[in-house]
């Protein structure tokens, strides 16, 4: 979903990523919390995460055991799987899935007010063609419209000369 689309802007092939499935929470403290000992990690976590995700992440040998019966190492392993899950993505899904493209024409090659190319005459470059990429949240559309408007205004002045 949106998280992987955002992460893909920064990821480079071969890099390992660390995923925290409970950002802002301290699972270690939750496991050690009062009254939790009789629960299983699976039971505790399914209130916080989708069941299928919990089952995929938890080590099967400790998922269904009572928390109180788990060794320190087993608890640490559970915390690492949920809050520091390490993986190397196989690759990017490419343009078919992408919502915005990283890269483009170097912004130093256009005038920042008119978006006119400083390298080629009679060329205006806006939107995604430039090396401007926003996170998800409307920034790319905003940039496309704002830069298009700036270039349009500059062109109108240019044409009126
Ligand atoms: C599935 C999807 C979801 C997205 N969701 C969001 C979002 O929620 N928020 C957000 O901010 N951004 C979103 N984006 C990104 C955003 O749509 C783009 O950043 C923005 O549309 C770029 O505007 P642009 O005018 O630079 O390029 P484009 O919108 O790609 O426009 C380029 C136009 O040029 C035309 N064209 C290409 N070649 C030629 C040619 N030779 N002659 C004539 N015409 C040509 C194309 O047909 C196209 O209409 C999304 C993108 C996708 C693909």
């Amino acid at each position: 979903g949106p998280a992987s689309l955002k992460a893909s802007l920064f990821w480079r092939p071969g890099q390992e990523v660390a995923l925290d499935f409970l950002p802002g929470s301290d699972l270690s403290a939750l496991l050690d919390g009062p009254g939790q000992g009789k629960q299983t990690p699976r039971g505790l976590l399914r209130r916080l995460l989708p069941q299928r995700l919990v089952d995929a992440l938890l080590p099967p040998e400790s998922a269904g055991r009572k928390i109180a019966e788990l060794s320190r190492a087993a608890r640490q392993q559970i915390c690492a799987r949920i809050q520091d899950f390490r993986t190397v993505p196989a690759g990017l899904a490419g343009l078919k899935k992408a919502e915005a493209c990283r890269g483009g024409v170097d912004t130093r090659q256009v005038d920042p007010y008119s978006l006119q190319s400083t390298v080629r005459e009679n060329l205006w470059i806006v939107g995604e063609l430039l090396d401007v990429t926003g996170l998800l949240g409307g920034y790319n559309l905003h940039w496309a419209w704002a830069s298009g408007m700036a270039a349009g205004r500059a062109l109108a002045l240019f044409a009126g000369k």
Side-chain angles (χ1 to χ4, degrees):
S4 51
L5 282 169
K6 277 186 187 176
S8 72
L9 276 177
F10 304 100
W11 180 75
R12 295 290 183 279
Q15 282 181 337
E16 184 183 61
V17 297
L19 304 177
D20 181 353
F21 290 98
L22 288 176
S25 301
D26 181 350
L27 181 57
S28 175
L30 274 177
L31 290 173
D32 288 339
Q36 303 290 28
K38 287 184 189 161
Q39 284 204 76
T40 64
R42 190 170 185 263
L44 174 79
L45 281 165
R46 76 172 167 214
R47 284 190 265 124
L48 306 169
L49 291 169
Q51 181 71 71
R52 283 195 301 157
L53 180 63
V54 171
D55 289 341
L57 292 175
L58 279 180
E61 62 278 9
S62 39
R65 292 180 56 196
K66 285 184 183 162
I67 291 170
E69 293 169 2
L70 296 174
S71 65
R72 177 163 291 278
R75 287 172 194 226
Q76 279 171 349
Q77 193 190 20
I78 290 171
C79 294
R81 299 276 298 177
I82 303 290
Q83 297 213 273
D84 189 26
F85 184 88
R86 303 284 171 145
T87 184
V88 179
L92 293 171
L95 273 179
K96 267 192 164 175
K97 290 266 180 192
E99 293 199 354
C101 286
R102 193 174 60 202
V105 175
D106 191 327
T107 52
R108 287 167 295 195
Q109 293 184 351
V110 292
D111 176 89
Y113 297 100
S114 67
L115 285 305
Q116 185 173 12
S117 169
T118 53
V119 180
R120 285 243 163 170
E121 261 184 54
N122 299 328
L123 179 67
W124 280 258
I125 306 172
V126 299
E128 279 228 22
L129 284 176
L130 283 166
D131 187 8
V132 175
T133 313
L135 292 176
L136 262 67
Y139 304 105
N140 293 294
L141 283 171
H142 185 110
W143 168 245
W145 292 322
S147 60
M149 178 116 177
R153 282 187 171 152
L155 265 166
L157 284 175
F158 183 81
K161 266 188 191 164

